[in-house]
Amino acid sequence: METFDVSVVIGFRDWGADRIRRSASSIMQAFNGVSGELIISDYGSVDPEPVKQVADQIGARYVYTAGDPVWSRSRALNAGFAIAQGELLVSTDADMLFSPKSIRTIVETAREAEDCALFLQCRDLPQSMDDEFFSNHPTVDWVQLERAGRLRPRWGMGGMMAIPARGFEVIRGFDERLHTYGGEDLDFAQRARRAGYRTVWVDDPEVRMYHMWHPPTIRTVEQTEAGREAVAFNKQVVYKDKTFTRNTLAWNWKPKGAAPLVSIVFATKNRADLLVEAIRSVLIQSVQDFEVIVVDDGSDDDSTQVAVESFNDNRIRYFKQPSEGISVARNLALAETRGYFTAVMDDDDIMPPQRLEWQLESITADHVGSAGSFVNFDDETGELHLIVSRLPTIAQAAEKGGAPGHGTWLIRTDVMRSIRYDETLTSGVDNNFFLRLLRSGYKIAHCGKPVLLRRRHKSQVSVVDNSNQGDAAKQALQYFNFGLGKWHLKQLAEEAKELSYPQIGEKADYIRSVQSYLPDSLVRRNATVRVTDDIKFLPRFDGSPYFQRLSRDGLTLSARLTVLNASYSDLVYLMSLGRDLEAELVESENDALSPKTQAGWVLSALEDYLEQTPTGEAVSIHRNNESFNGEVHRGVNYEMISGEVTESINICRHEIGDAVEVPVPWVVYGRTAKEFWS
């Protein structure tokens, strides 16, 4: 694949071919000897052909994205960067003109500064220099523009951002939640800084970016309630969200070949059956951008390799070494990881689906990772016990040593490689590692969530190697406290008393939030995912599948696939078909026969309909049973009647087995769904 010194992306929608031609042409000239590509990212223009012709004529790449009803500069830029091949990535807008040597100088500045995010203040041109002006003056007079332009304040960021491709991957591009208007560059700049990329303002007389005048977009946006809400939401993200990694649940335009966000590592030996359960819990994570590294520390046969390969998932990589111990195995895993973060797991534990999501949300600029609490479960009885781990600070460790549960760690990979596991130890390895990490000055956040289901059984290391583990803990604490005088220890002890544990809610609620993800032998569960595509044929599940689609006048509002009595294998399959996996415990036989979702579906239909019904007008809703294509598809049709207007809401379900009984028809009068349910 060809690479360039720089890739520049323009994102736009319905912006005018002539204006884009002027901006794009100035960028092509501004490469000025460096190898570069210009990508014009059209995010849903009504008529894409004129700009596509411009791209072809000037030698730019063109990418078109259809189907999104709202304008999002973040998504438009990400769609362009997804195909970019430059070492340096530059974003800008379709109303900017770049001086002839500007892009070349930006590339040279980035090389000299290293590990930085570059920004350029634009110069706003007066109202007289609009589209008509430039149409009448096809040759740009740069001296005239310099005299007329007025420097925009830096807090506005200015419309140009540049960052190395690796930095773009680390913070995962522009935040795709942002849409309609404003905040994208400022948010990106803040996140780049939190991730360790210094902010550098390009200040060079040969680098200029001029903003061609047009009526301010914000005036149009603020005329609608939806527009004002979008602007308010964007501001909330920019000023309140202190994380730097975004688009974790769905990065719709991830660059091809980008490294995974998280590497999940296992060291294992002769426990293939337990490892399979652990890996299944990884595969149902709400954050799906991961790889799994399995290091087999000299198992007696090939059962571990066979188990790993049975998943047929190219995100899972298997390595085998002679039996050299758990520390050697973990260090080998660290050497092979490609993720920006590494999540540690023991081969006999289980992670709840939100583990990676919760921990990534807790990592801010001051932290290199996150830890959490865990729930112990007895492998035979299913008895549960919540362990709320202390805050992972030097103050907490100085008194008694100890570390948050090893299987709750999510830490930057480069930091873990710099610390490494002590290969002279057979037990207490994690405690030793964590204390050395804290003494090195690194800070770890506590996400305040139970991020691990920890299996209690007779063959776990803490049972079979208990004496060595205790000795290792004492040695690690001695090392940790080496060089700390009485005054230091006293200060740390006082600090530890002030803030010992994270703030949590009711312990019973915490346990219940993860209980349905225990092994199949200990619980019965129903599970549901949200799907975007209509499922014509249901795959084979261990449990009983149940597909529901809610449509309004033929337009699908939402769809969900539920499996009753779902196995862990079913959970993995469900996650491959949809997103937002939810599992609920089966507490009675009625739960095992029908999902508890119908009330929520009807409520969604009512809210959608009643929002568009005049206030105070009576609404009647009639339900009629309908069948579709015989035995496989069954549905319920709701006629929503307001005055002389009748609209159709259809709930369709696909079942295997006996049909679920449909409740009797009903009628509702009132303005809101809340009034109906009361």
Side-chain angles (χ1 to χ4, degrees), residues 20 38 40 179 185 227 291 312 319 322 370 453 468 536 654:
I20 292 174
L38 172 61
I40 299 176
H179 64 85
D185 278 346
E291 66 171 357
N312 194 29
F319 301 89
S370 171
L453 288 160
N468 286 335
K536 303 297 183 182
H654 306 232

Side-chain angles (χ1 to χ4, degrees), residues 11 46 50 58 89 117 149 182 184 192 217 233 261 275 277 283 288 336 343 402 416 450 476 599 608 639:
V46 174
I58 67 174
L89 304 182
E184 304 89 357
T217 307
F233 173 80
L261 177 59
L275 178 65
E277 291 188 350
L283 297 179
Q288 284 283 299
E336 295 293 341
M416 294 197 72
D608 175 77
E639 296 294 335

Side-chain angles (χ1 to χ4, degrees), residues 473-508:
K474 293 177 183 178
Q475 293 173 10
L477 182 57
Q478 288 174 353
Y479 166 81
F480 183 84
N481 287 335
F482 180 78
L484 295 178
K486 292 182 179 180
W487 182 87
H488 294 97
L489 293 172
K490 181 179 179 181
Q491 293 295 113
L492 290 173
E494 292 177 357
E495 181 182 337
K497 291 178 182 178
E498 293 178 4
L499 196 59
S500 299
Y501 292 94
Q503 297 294 318
I504 66 170
E506 292 293 329
K507 289 187 176 182

